Amino acid sequence: MEKNYEYKLSFISIIIIGSYIACQMISNIASVKIANVLNLAVDGGTFLYPLAFTIRDMAHKTIGKKNTQKLILVSAIINIFSPIYFYIVSNIPADSSWQFNEAFQLTLSPVLRIAIASIVGSTIAELVDTEIYHFFVTKITKRYQWLRVLISNAFSIPVDNLLFVVIAFYGALPFEALVGIFVFNFFVKYAVTIVSVPMIYLVKENKE
C-alpha cells in the first residue's frame, strides 16, 4: 500500500527560502545596471542585495546551517543559469511583429564579467556569513540576535564588495575608483543591514 509522506517544512520557512532566492536573483540581474550616486559608480543590486544577508540569517535560524548552505549553493546555480538563459534567448531571432528585441538584448543579455562578479561575490560572502553566524550562536551566545546579524554581516559584506569590485572592474577602472566603489557600497549595504535587523525576530529558533 502506498503511503503519503508529509515533510516538515513550515510556511515561514518556505517564504524565507523563496525570498532569499528571489532577492539574490533580482539583485544579480539589477547589478548589470551601473548607476551614479554622489559621483560614485554603484551597481543596481547594491540597494536590495543586503537584505539577502539578513534573510540568510533567518534561514539559518529556521532550517539550520547545513540546509542554509544548500540553499546558498542552489541559489548560486540558479543565478549562473539565469544570464546564460537570457543570453541564449536574446540571440534567438525575434518575430517581425515584436519591436523590442534590441532593448531585450541590451537589458537581459548582461555583461558576463559583471554577472560572474556578482554571483561569485554573493555566493562566497553568504558562505562566510553562514560560518560567522554559526560560530556566534554555538560558541558565543544564543542571546542578542541583533548582534549576531550585525557581526556576521560585518564580515560578509566586505568579502562580497571586494570580490565584486575586483572581478567586475579591476583593470577597467583606476584604483581610486575601485576604493570609492568599495567604500560607498559597504556603507550602503551595512545601512540596509541595520534597518533590516528587526526581521530576525520574525522567526522562531529551530530547536531540532
Side-chain angles (χ1 to χ4, degrees), residues 1 6 11-12 24 28 54 60 62 66 74 77 86 89 92 95 107 128 135 166 169 187 190 196:
M1 182 177 179
E6 188 69 27
F11 180 62
I12 189 66
Q24 284 275 2
N28 284 330
T54 303
H60 197 141
T62 55
K66 291 184 178 179
V74 169
I77 292 171
F86 289 143
V89 171
I92 297 175
D95 186 82
T107 303
V128 169
F135 177 83
V166 171
F169 303 118
F187 280 110
Y190 208 72
S196 66

Side-chain angles (χ1 to χ4, degrees), residues 119-153:
I119 293 167
V120 171
S122 62
T123 302
I124 295 178
E126 291 287 1
L127 292 173
V128 169
D129 193 291
T130 300
E131 293 299 328
I132 299 299
Y133 183 96
H134 187 72
F135 177 83
F136 187 94
V137 173
T138 57
K139 302 298 183 181
I140 300 179
T141 179
K142 289 187 177 180
R143 300 173 62 192
Y144 311 118
Q145 295 183 48
W146 59 272
L147 186 58
R148 68 173 83 158
V149 174
L150 293 180
I151 290 178
S152 63
N153 287 14

Side-chain angles (χ1 to χ4, degrees), residues 22-202:
C23 190
Q24 284 275 2
M25 191 169 184
I26 295 170
S27 297
N28 284 330
I29 293 173
S31 69
V32 178
K33 165 68 180 288
I34 305 300
N36 185 288
V37 180
L38 301 177
N39 291 321
L40 292 172
V42 55
D43 70 276
T46 297
F47 307 101
L48 176 65
Y49 176 67
L51 286 178
F53 288 110
T54 303
I55 296 173
R56 191 226 59 81
D57 291 339
M58 295 170 70
H60 197 141
K61 188 178 175 182
T62 55
I63 63 177
K65 177 183 176 181
K66 291 184 178 179
N67 286 328
T68 300
Q69 290 172 327
K70 293 175 183 176
L71 173 60
I72 293 169
L73 295 177
V74 169
S75 179
I77 292 171
I78 292 173
N79 280 297
I80 290 171
F81 175 76
S82 296
I84 295 174
Y85 182 73
F86 289 143
Y87 177 79
I88 293 172
V89 171
S90 68
N91 283 280
I92 297 175
D95 186 82
S96 59
S97 64
W98 197 59
Q99 304 298 318
F100 305 102
N101 192 56
E102 184 177 355
F104 181 92
Q105 288 178 322
L106 292 173
T107 303
L108 292 178
S109 182
V111 178
L112 185 59
R113 184 175 176 179
I114 294 177
I116 292 174
S118 180
I119 293 167
V120 171
S122 62
T123 302
I124 295 178
E126 291 287 1
L127 292 173
V128 169
D129 193 291
T130 300
E131 293 299 328
I132 299 299
Y133 183 96
H134 187 72
F135 177 83
F136 187 94
V137 173
T138 57
K139 302 298 183 181
I140 300 179
T141 179
K142 289 187 177 180
R143 300 173 62 192
Y144 311 118
Q145 295 183 48
W146 59 272
L147 186 58
R148 68 173 83 158
V149 174
L150 293 180
I151 290 178
S152 63
N153 287 14
F155 282 89
S156 54
I157 289 175
V159 171
D160 174 58
N161 275 359
L162 180 62
L163 290 172
F164 178 79
V165 169
V166 171
I167 296 174
F169 303 118
Y170 183 77
L173 295 175
F175 180 75
E176 294 77 10
L178 299 183
V179 173
I181 294 172
F182 178 90
V183 173
F184 181 79
N185 281 8
F186 176 81
F187 280 110
V188 170
K189 290 178 179 179
Y190 208 72
V192 175
T193 289
I194 293 173
V195 172
S196 66
V197 162
M199 292 171 58
I200 195 68
Y201 292 97
L202 297 177

